[in-house]
Amino acid sequence: LQVTVANPQVVALLFQPVLLRCHYQTLATDPPIVTWKYKSFCPTTTSSTSSGGDNGLVSSPGEGLEATSGCPDGARTVRIVATKRGDVVTVGDFYRGRSVTILGEAELSLGPAAWGDSGSYTCTVSTTQDLQGNNEASAQLVVLGE
């Protein structure tokens, strides 16, 4: 099993559609389960009270990449975006009512991008028929206002 993300750093404009491309190769004959998970960027370690308005959250692509590995999941928001098995896609509770789905093999479509969509997205592919290799890959998404 080998999972890759075509573009590990994605910058999108607010209200524009976003497509995070995940690809996998497997020896399994049954359709695997594809899961996309969201993790918010880590809070910054410096005080944000003097800079005003940023709520201490990382907002630039460079900072986000450095900060995502530096804090535990308990320090950020973690949630399931969507899961796909065969042709059946199940969207996580937080994303219901939005145009969110998994297209094709394993591509996450996030309809119009929202402010809270910035973060790390992990594509995980699970199958009991192919347990060797790398079963996940991640992409960082930064949503910009203009």
Side-chain angles (χ1 to χ4, degrees):
L1 180 62
Q2 190 62 35
V3 177
T4 56
V5 169
N7 189 358
Q9 297 180 321
V10 177
V11 177
L13 293 176
L14 187 63
F15 306 126
Q16 296 299 310
V18 176
L19 187 65
L20 301 178
R21 298 181 187 276
C22 178
H23 176 74
Y24 64 87
Q25 293 178 313
T26 181
L27 301 174
T29 54
D30 291 337
I33 298 171
V34 176
T35 303
W36 278 94
K37 186 182 343 181
Y38 163 84
K39 291 183 182 183
S40 62
F41 288 131
C42 294
T44 57
T45 55
T46 59
S47 173
S48 63
T49 55
S50 61
S51 60
D54 68 357
N55 296 326
L57 297 178
V58 174
S59 59
S60 74
E63 289 179 66
L65 290 175
E66 294 170 5
T68 55
S69 61
C71 69
D73 286 354
R76 52 183 156 171
T77 302
V78 179
R79 57 182 165 243
I80 300 294
V81 180
T83 302
K84 179 179 182 180
R85 180 172 192 152
D87 292 332
V88 179
V89 176
T90 304
V91 177
D93 291 342
F94 184 83
Y95 297 92
R96 290 206 175 118
R98 286 187 59 189
S99 181
V100 172
T101 192
I102 298 176
L103 300 172
E105 184 177 79
E107 297 178 341
L108 180 65
S109 172
L110 284 174
W115 282 120
D117 289 341
S118 290
S120 176
Y121 290 80
T122 302
C123 173
T124 304
V125 179
S126 305
T127 176
T128 58
Q129 296 178 325
D130 190 354
L131 301 175
Q132 296 187 2
N134 179 21
N135 76 327
E136 66 180 33
S138 296
Q140 310 295 323
L141 172 65
V142 176
V143 177
L144 302 176
E146 291 182 27

